[in-house]
Amino acid sequence: MKKLGLLFLASALSLGLAACGGGDEETTAPKQEQSTEASSTEGVEVYTITATNWDFKSDKELTIKKGTNVKINLVNKEGMHTISSKDLGIELGADKPAEFTADKTGTYELICSTVCGATEDHEAMKISLKIVD
């Protein structure tokens, strides 16, 4: 019975470390473009957020004019992360960009919605998006 408990503990620990851990290798889908700055494509502002262990960085300040059509891509540089905002109704992952119209002014937190480490590290993993008039 002790061996089964140890096996279960080791498996859980391995899965927990794999969520945010791992090497420096890319964990994004193949052929996903990684832009270094936001660009406009057919009336859509495109942003790329890069996730590393317990941190998000955007290629450009996430201040968006109200009424703008937006596409946000996520690149997982370290670990496996997703982003969501209940207020904006968006969820995105490395293989699932978010597309929406910025129609509500305010400052919104985009949070990591995949448990990716110790609670305090995971809860600190967020980035702000501001929609202005």
Side-chain angles (χ1 to χ4, degrees), residues 35-111:
S35 68
T36 56
E37 60 183 64
S39 61
S40 293
T41 306
E42 300 178 30
V44 176
E45 283 289 320
V46 180
Y47 295 83
T48 299
I49 296 174
T50 302
T52 57
N53 289 336
W54 309 292
D55 192 34
F56 287 129
K57 296 238 185 291
S58 178
D59 59 344
K60 184 177 178 183
E61 184 179 348
L62 291 170
T63 300
I64 301 166
K65 186 173 180 172
K66 183 179 178 181
T68 302
N69 293 320
V70 178
K71 179 178 181 179
I72 302 176
N73 296 305
L74 175 63
V75 174
N76 282 322
K77 189 171 181 179
E78 293 178 318
M80 300 295 286
H81 308 279
T82 55
I83 294 176
S84 68
S85 169
K86 289 182 183 178
D87 294 331
L88 294 174
I90 62 171
E91 290 187 32
L92 65 146
D95 59 348
K96 181 183 168 195
E99 295 187 47
F100 63 99
T101 300
D103 58 0
K104 299 183 280 186
T105 59
T107 301
Y108 303 92
E109 281 191 343
L110 307 179
I111 63 168

